[in-house]
Amino acid sequence: MRLPDILRFARDAATGYPVRTALSVLAMSIGVAAVVLLTALGDGARRYVVGQFSSLGTNLVIVLPGRSGTGGFNPANAITSTPRDLTIDDAGSLRRLPGVRRVAPLAVGTSEIAFGGRLREIMVAGSTAEFIPIRNFELAQGKALPEEDWNRGSPVAIVGAKIRDELFPNQPALGQLIRVGDRRLRVIGVLASTGQGLGMNTDELVIVPVALAQAMFNSNTLFRILIEANSREAIPGVKDATLETLKQRHRGEEDVTVITQDAVLATFDKLLGALTLAVAGIAAISLAVAGILVMNVMLVAVTQRTGEIGLLKALGASGENIRLLFLSEAAMLSAVGAALGYVFGQLGAFVLRQVFPVFPAYPPDWAVFAALATAVGTGLLFGVMPARRAARLDPVQALMRH
Amino acid sequence: MALIELEGIDRSFQLGDTTVHALAGLDLRIAAGEYVAVMGPSGSGKSTLLNLLGLLDRPQSGTYRLEGRDVTTLSPDEQARVRSARIGFVFQSFHLVPRLTAAENIALPMTLAGILPAERERRVAQALRDFGLEHRADHRPDQLSGGQRQRVAIARATIMQPPLILADEPTGNLDRHTGEEVIHLLEALNANGVTLVVVTHDAALGARARRQLVMEDGRLKQDSTVP
Ligand SMILES: Nc1ncnc2c1ncn2[C@@H]1O[C@H](COP(=O)(O)OP(=O)(O)O)[C@@H](O)[C@H]1O
Ligand SMILES: [Mg+2]
């Protein structure tokens, strides 16, 4: 029997029993849709977190004041007291290290901003011209902080998008004189809106020269030093050199912590990757169940069509012919189910992305491939037994049942 | 050389703890081109004989030579090939595939044999004309009358041009007039050289055959040839 004829015969046989065909196709499609959708969720979560971390900047090395116990990333560091301050000069000393592209010192605090009678609480980030490129921020208008001596601190500010909207609803922000704390500053730039992320929310941020921020908050210390390495490969070298340089500057005491974005990222990536895999595994169970359903449907089909099998044998069909016919039918049920499930799954993921635009719910390719392969595989596997049973039927017995 | 040679054929069925001898020590030779009617009371073994001749069943003992070749020892797949090329079946209850059209039912043996679609179409078109079914090609069996269904079945049985046609009570489900039409069709095939074996318990139909076999309890009670 020729392959197109086998397929056509199997297709007609399947469509000849719409209810049981629809049922097994549905079961298979639910299984595949579950895998596609759940892995889209899992991988979406992974991408979201990884994306948030990446949005902090690329090839980032971060210096925190204080020494962490393990030398690794420890959120507790953020609130421990600092034995020795990180200074603007510390940051400056890192600028010429090999493999370093940019350095930005960062001092932060909260303050009030006032303009034209309007007043609001804001977050102030004191830094330098390179802060914006390091953090991958974008300017909507105006220009970056001036390239000047880091210890100078011109009275200028860059404001976040939301602050601009609230303080200057119907006039240009650039060039306006605002009051931040007890300083009068000129607005030289406006940040592009970024929304809520893992890092700071730039929409309610005011960026000023680092020396100015320190003066405003009456402190000499830095919150962080941000370093951008030339490349991913340069990160370990930059980390070691930074640690060494700061140790020398701090009289041989290793009182800072240097973390790389890479290490944190890799941990989250692995963790959420494993989660996706687990979710895929659970969803795959429904595929196995669907496979068993296909088997039962095919067993029923063999019983229902016993007379037909006898007839085919009388007309010259070999056992191999009969086996192929029933196997193709099982494969067809699961393949159509898989295709439908794929469409449903992608549709579900699409809806998810529409409802939660920040959440990149795309099913990973491996999961889609595995789901489709498993669906067709189980369909074939569970189709073998009914097909063999059909092929072994005694033609006379089968004909008598017609 | 005889087309069919049966020697000492035994076929028995186990029913509970009694053994039914459907065929017992049967010897039979049928030459190519013969027209044979098999008659006898119900349960005498007519269908069992026909199934055996059609390689749908195997005897417990004895040999069956078809065209000089011992076919009882063939593997199931080899037997399938013999059925495909050498034997055509016509059944009492037509045995058409309900979801296939008349044309598709007629083409089925060719489809199973892997004959190319163009050749299938050509032969089916010819068969539809030969059996007066031109306007029924796309009808499904439930849209056909009994006589039309049996004509489709006969067209299907002949589509591979087998030298042997086996018909088990082909008129059993038809009224007298339609039954006669069907018998005429089968006889026309025989007139063209096809060997025809028809099971019937209608004496009038049986009398039309040149050779009549009467069976009883799995044995040949009578084997008469009209001169
Ligand atoms: N598959 C079977 N199982 C058990 N007994 C059978 C089977 N086929 C036929 N028989 C028995 O063999 C005998 C002959 O049957 P059969 O050839 O069908 O007779 P006929 O066609 O002449 O009416 C009957 O007694 C029948 O009951
Ligand atoms: Mg019978």
Side-chain angles (χ1 to χ4, degrees):
Chain A
M1 213 173 164
R2 298 168 65 252
L3 186 65
D5 291 326
I6 289 179
L7 295 182
R8 184 171 324 113
F9 194 93
R11 181 202 65 197
D12 291 349
T15 49
Y17 298 87
V19 173
R20 67 168 179 76
T21 298
L23 218 71
S24 38
V25 165
L26 186 71
M28 201 48 102
S29 66
I30 289 174
V32 173
V35 174
V36 170
L37 194 60
L38 289 177
T39 54
L41 268 173
D43 206 51
R46 187 186 63 81
R47 278 176 212 234
Y48 177 74
V49 170
V50 168
Q52 288 298 333
F53 265 94
S54 310
S55 74
L56 292 177
T58 24
N59 303 327
L60 216 53
V61 176
I62 302 165
V63 184
L64 294 68
R67 166 118 179 83
S68 83
T70 57
F73 174 67
N74 182 356
N77 276 326
I79 50 168
T80 50
S81 61
T82 53
R84 182 183 297 273
D85 294 343
L86 268 179
T87 64
I88 293 179
D89 291 339
D90 282 339
S93 73
L94 302 174
R95 292 178 89 177
R96 256 159 273 295
L97 289 181
V100 170
R101 176 174 295 157
R102 301 185 176 102
V103 175
L106 178 63
V108 297
T110 54
S111 184
E112 274 176 0
I113 186 167
F115 177 79
R118 274 182 275 258
L119 196 75
R120 64 162 296 167
E121 185 95 342
I122 46 138
M123 176 110 161
V124 175
S127 193
T128 61
E130 306 215 292
F131 180 61
I132 288 177
I134 284 185
R135 288 295 315 271
N136 289 342
F137 293 159
E138 266 174 55
L139 279 171
Q141 303 166 23
K143 53 183 202 273
L145 292 176
E147 300 277 359
E148 60 183 353
D149 181 351
W150 287 2
N151 285 305
R152 191 160 164 277
S154 312
V156 293
I158 296 169
V159 299
K162 194 168 169 194
I163 296 173
R164 197 267 323 266
D165 292 345
E166 287 181 6
L167 259 53
F168 316 102
N170 33 30
Q171 53 188 306
L174 290 183
Q176 301 286 2
L177 269 181
I178 52 172
R179 187 172 62 74
V180 177
D182 53 359
R183 309 278 166 149
R184 296 187 72 77
L185 308 176
R186 189 167 302 280
V187 177
I188 59 165
V190 178
L191 287 170
S193 177
T194 53
Q196 189 64 54
L198 252 195
M200 16 177 122
N201 183 355
T202 63
D203 293 352
E204 297 177 53
L205 190 67
V206 171
I207 303 173
V208 299
V210 62
L212 187 73
Q214 285 189 335
M216 269 164 61
F217 301 128
N218 198 15
S219 107
N220 283 325
T221 185
L222 293 177
F223 174 64
R224 296 282 186 272
I225 300 173
L226 307 178
I227 306 165
E228 184 182 327
N230 274 331
S231 65
R232 204 182 170 86
E233 291 69 42
I235 289 175
V238 168
K239 181 183 175 181
D240 292 345
T242 301
L243 213 52
E244 192 51 42
T245 307
L246 292 180
K247 193 171 161 186
Q248 274 172 19
R249 289 181 57 83
H250 293 190
R251 272 177 264 148
E253 226 178 302
E254 203 175 298
D255 57 0
V256 297
T257 303
V258 180
I259 60 170
T260 63
Q261 189 187 9
D262 252 29
V264 184
L265 204 67
T267 310
F268 271 102
D269 200 9
K270 236 196 294 191
L271 200 78
L272 291 163
L275 187 80
T276 307
L277 207 64
V279 165
I282 292 166
I285 292 173
S286 64
L287 275 178
V289 173
I292 292 170
L293 191 91
V294 166
M295 174 168 76
N296 278 291
V297 158
M298 289 312 296
L299 283 175
V300 170
V302 171
T303 316
Q304 264 179 347
R305 301 220 298 269
T306 300
E308 182 184 314
I309 294 163
L311 170 71
L312 292 179
K313 287 194 164 180
L315 297 182
S318 62
E320 181 71 15
N321 280 160
I322 307 276
R323 200 161 41 244
L324 274 177
L325 285 176
F326 278 82
L327 209 56
S328 319
E329 195 176 330
M332 226 173 256
L333 293 182
S334 34
V336 171
L340 264 177
Y342 173 77
V343 172
F344 287 153
Q346 291 284 16
L347 216 69
F350 175 77
V351 169
L352 217 67
R353 293 196 297 271
Q354 296 303 305
V355 178
F356 307 103
V358 295
F359 195 77
Y362 293 94
D365 289 344
W366 63 262
V368 171
F369 178 77
L372 294 177
T374 313
V376 176
T378 50
L380 275 176
L381 192 72
F382 286 110
V384 166
M385 208 250 274
R388 287 175 54 151
R389 180 173 293 188
R392 274 205 301 263
L393 277 178
D394 174 32
V396 177
Q397 299 282 341
L399 271 171
M400 279 177 12
R401 296 262 296 277
H402 202 69
Chain B
M1 183 187 69
L3 178 77
I4 291 168
E5 287 174 278
L6 297 183
E7 266 171 43
I9 294 290
D10 283 309
R11 180 69 173 103
S12 56
F13 296 99
Q14 204 66 41
L15 279 178
D17 35 40
T18 58
T19 306
V20 179
H21 291 276
L23 294 176
L26 193 76
D27 297 323
L28 180 65
R29 291 165 70 89
I30 297 175
E34 273 196 86
Y35 175 11
V36 183
V38 183
M39 293 180 289
S42 186
S44 57
K46 305 183 296 292
S47 294
T48 306
L49 172 62
L50 217 67
N51 289 337
L52 210 111
L53 292 179
L55 295 179
L56 294 176
D57 200 4
R58 286 166 188 262
Q60 268 104 8
S61 61
T63 53
Y64 172 15
R65 272 189 294 278
L66 180 66
E67 299 176 314
R69 172 155 87 139
D70 184 353
V71 286
T72 43
T73 55
L74 295 182
S75 74
D77 276 357
E78 286 169 325
Q79 290 194 334
R81 271 195 291 280
V82 173
R83 280 198 298 270
S84 168
R86 315 305 297 164
I87 301 169
F89 284 96
V90 179
F91 305 95
Q92 176 175 358
S93 49
F94 321 128
H95 280 315
L96 301 179
V97 180
R99 61 174 179 280
L100 299 184
T101 64
E104 287 167 337
N105 266 292
I106 294 172
L108 197 49
M110 295 191 288
T111 311
L112 289 169
I115 290 174
L116 293 177
E119 171 70 4
R120 293 202 308 246
E121 257 167 59
R122 195 185 62 72
R123 282 206 231 169
V124 167
Q126 181 64 43
L128 287 168
R129 274 195 298 279
D130 290 349
F131 293 93
L133 293 162
E134 295 102 317
H135 305 297
R136 298 287 177 269
D138 297 325
H139 287 52
R140 284 175 211 288
D142 57 5
Q143 300 165 316
L144 297 172
S145 71
Q148 289 167 338
R149 286 186 213 179
Q150 199 58 303
R151 272 187 278 160
V152 170
I154 294 171
R156 181 180 66 188
T158 56
I159 202 75
M160 293 291 288
Q161 291 152 356
L164 174 61
I165 298 271
L166 304 171
D168 194 348
E169 312 214 20
T171 63
N173 282 357
L174 302 174
D175 62 56
R176 173 135 220 113
H177 174 71
T178 322
E180 266 169 23
E181 270 180 21
V182 164
I183 282 293
H184 286 310
L185 284 175
L186 290 172
E187 287 171 356
L189 295 173
N190 174 247
N192 285 330
V194 174
T195 309
L196 179 63
V197 182
V198 182
V199 168
T200 179
H201 50 232
D202 181 333
L205 282 185
R208 301 173 63 96
R210 227 165 297 125
R211 181 177 174 192
Q212 286 125 25
L213 305 177
V214 180
M215 295 194 62
E216 201 174 79
D217 294 335
R219 294 169 197 281
L220 272 184
K221 195 178 120 193
Q222 187 190 320
D223 181 350
S224 55
T225 307
V226 177

